[in-house]
Amino acid sequence: MPEVPEIVMLHGGSAKAAAAADARIMIVDDNRINLHLLTAILERNGLSRFEFAQDGREALTKLAKFDPDLILLDLMMPDLDGFEVCRRMRLDPRYAELPILVQSSLNRPEDRARAFAAGATDYVSKPINAAELMARIRIHLQNRFLIRRLRDYRHHTERELAMARQMQEQLMPQAAQLLSLEADLGIRVGAQFAPTSELGGDSWDLRRDGRGRLLVWLIDFSGHGVGAALNVFRLHAILKSIGLDDFDPAAFLETINRRLCTLLQTGQFATMLAGVVDPERDRFLYASAGSTRPMVWAPGATLPTLGDSRGLPAGIFSGASYENRSLPLPAGGSLFLYSDAAIELPVDDGVLDDEGLAGLVGECIDEPDCRTLLERVLGKLAKLGSFEDDLTAVVLQRLR
């Protein structure tokens, strides 16, 4: 990233005075003597890139091509005066933040107020005092370059975050994988991942174990943003080293917990639910590390059944143990997993809890397609307020 130019007075002896040559100054004045005077002052102080205009229309015509860093603008000019030039420039987004130093012999308070109302950045009275003029120019140019550098840094950061967001999303199941699962196992999946910032601490995944059964897990790291997202990437590296041949949810969580205890900083933790769809037993076998309560329902149900989700969050105590539990999941049945953002929205008597969310799901439970059901549930949640944490929601529907 380029250095921010430092504008200094040449007679101050600074080695960085030459950087002032990068600043482009447009001088707008209908008086040739004033043009020469201002140019001489600027040149003596290390500035060398100028454009001149002798009226307001000429200045507006030259703006785009010259792209100034600062404008010295006379207020009293024929045809199009400095007040109108200011107003027109401020209407153009390209020049909304461009420093405009107006110079005028009009010294009444109402004239100054009128200039600032038109969009002037600063006001210099005539006759020009060279020291005062350069002090004001130096301040505004330093601010100009600083803002430009900060904006460039923000754009660079936004690009980097967008790339990281794309990488994070690629860790989760993609559309082709979901279609393959539906064709091979008869399980349809609807999912939503919505971080509160560019990156989030939620993640979920689907795998197959050595017996061909579908595995699912959803994890929610404490916090959100870059720090939480880094933990998601750490988890992904851990998962690649864990065998899934004969999946046992409780043993899986115990392994994850031990690894996270060595990686997470003090105060960080993760809630997690991991489970396996067992079509032979028509059950969903799972274990929970302090996650939200899973929901299941069979065809014809009017409300979902809530599972038990007790368990110590992962990353706190390396010796934690977890319990295998199960819920009925027959053919035609559905499973709903979600992060805690879905149960932290305000309602009349406090915040929405698992039971309250189950009631909202019940209002949509007659929806035959799990993907549409999820859209309806999320729409109801959105009406309650904005999510203050990362949101992940996954619905699995057994078609056979």
Side-chain angles (χ1 to χ4, degrees):
M1 189 173 297
E3 291 291 328
V4 178
E6 179 181 343
I7 307 304
V8 296
M9 309 293 280
L10 275 179
H11 55 259
S14 169
K16 294 186 178 181
D22 289 334
R24 298 181 299 276
I25 310 296
M26 176 177 281
I27 306 174
V28 186
D29 200 311
D30 62 326
N31 187 310
R32 288 185 176 275
I33 295 177
N34 288 340
L35 287 175
H36 290 305
L37 172 63
L38 291 170
T39 302
I41 293 173
L42 298 179
E43 287 179 336
R44 284 200 304 270
N45 286 273
L47 295 162
S48 60
R49 300 178 64 183
F50 309 115
E51 182 59 82
F52 305 99
Q54 292 186 293
D55 59 62
R57 296 192 186 280
E58 184 182 4
L60 293 175
T61 300
K62 292 182 174 181
L63 268 178
K65 183 177 181 180
F66 183 61
D67 190 22
D69 293 307
L70 182 143
I71 292 183
L72 285 174
L73 176 66
D74 186 26
L75 283 181
M76 304 306 296
M77 295 181 294
D79 190 14
L80 196 66
D81 62 23
F83 296 105
E84 184 61 24
V85 171
C86 277
R87 279 190 288 268
R88 295 191 185 186
M89 288 181 61
R90 294 312 189 202
L91 291 174
D92 190 327
R94 293 174 297 175
Y95 310 120
E97 299 176 356
L98 179 66
I100 303 175
L101 273 68
V102 298
Q103 37 152 345
S104 178
S105 56
L106 301 175
N107 291 318
R108 297 179 304 170
E110 52 267 34
D111 295 322
R112 290 175 175 268
R114 183 184 172 198
F116 286 121
T121 307
D122 207 344
Y123 196 105
V124 180
S125 299
K126 291 181 179 180
I128 296 297
N129 179 289
E132 177 189 0
L133 175 66
M134 287 310 305
R136 293 177 184 273
I137 287 176
R138 180 171 62 252
I139 290 171
H140 291 298
L141 284 178
Q142 286 174 341
N143 289 341
R144 169 77 167 174
F145 289 124
L146 176 60
I147 291 172
R148 179 181 295 168
R149 184 176 182 181
L150 290 174
R151 185 178 290 112
D152 289 345
Y153 178 77
R154 186 192 69 187
H155 291 163
H156 174 78
T157 302
E158 288 174 348
R159 289 193 298 269
E160 294 292 321
L161 287 173
M163 291 175 60
R165 167 73 178 269
Q166 185 179 19
M167 291 173 61
Q168 185 177 11
E169 290 179 343
Q170 289 174 348
L171 298 180
M172 304 176 204
Q174 303 299 299
Q177 181 184 356
L178 299 184
L179 290 174
S180 176
L181 284 173
E182 183 171 338
D184 295 346
L185 299 180
I187 296 178
R188 179 173 293 164
V189 180
Q192 173 72 24
F193 169 66
T196 53
S197 58
E198 290 85 353
L199 298 173
D202 288 7
S203 188
W204 70 283
D205 204 356
L206 298 170
R207 302 283 182 90
R208 303 272 289 274
D209 71 358
R211 296 163 56 184
R213 300 178 302 173
L214 179 65
L215 315 180
V216 58
W217 53 76
L218 188 152
I219 189 163
D220 181 1
F221 282 97
S222 57
H224 46 265
V226 174
L230 288 175
N231 288 330
V232 171
F233 287 107
R234 292 188 179 107
L235 174 67
H236 182 70
I238 292 172
L239 292 171
K240 293 178 67 175
S241 65
I242 298 177
L244 302 174
D245 289 340
D246 191 11
F247 187 74
D248 179 277
F252 176 76
L253 282 190
E254 289 166 4
T255 301
I256 295 293
N257 174 63
R258 288 193 297 270
R259 301 284 187 88
L260 289 181
C261 282
T262 65
L263 293 176
L264 298 184
Q265 298 179 2
T266 302
Q268 293 183 329
F269 60 89
T271 60
M272 186 173 187
L273 186 142
V276 54
V277 177
D278 190 340
E280 294 180 359
R281 298 169 54 197
D282 287 339
R283 308 289 293 182
F284 175 62
L285 179 67
Y286 71 96
S288 170
S291 70
T292 54
R293 300 174 66 183
M295 300 183 194
V296 295
W297 60 92
T302 57
L303 280 175
T305 298
L306 284 160
D308 188 345
S309 63
R310 289 174 295 177
L312 188 69
I316 296 177
F317 172 54
S318 61
S321 60
Y322 297 95
E323 177 185 348
N324 281 326
R325 304 183 176 102
S326 71
L327 287 167
L329 189 60
S334 297
L335 166 70
F336 182 34
L337 306 178
Y338 49 95
S339 59
D340 59 7
I343 54 172
E344 294 177 344
L345 294 172
V347 292
D348 293 339
D349 56 350
V351 295
L352 189 70
D353 56 13
D354 296 282
E355 288 80 4
L357 178 58
L360 292 182
V361 173
E363 296 175 12
C364 310
I365 208 167
D366 59 343
E367 179 59 54
D369 189 315
C370 68
R371 296 166 296 192
T372 308
L373 177 142
L374 182 59
E375 290 178 2
R376 290 176 59 187
V377 171
L378 294 178
K380 290 180 178 292
L381 290 175
K383 291 180 180 179
L384 296 177
S386 301
F387 297 107
E388 296 184 357
D389 197 359
D390 307 324
L391 172 69
T392 301
V394 181
V395 183
L396 276 64
Q397 180 181 16
R398 285 192 63 191
L399 302 179
R400 58 178 186 266

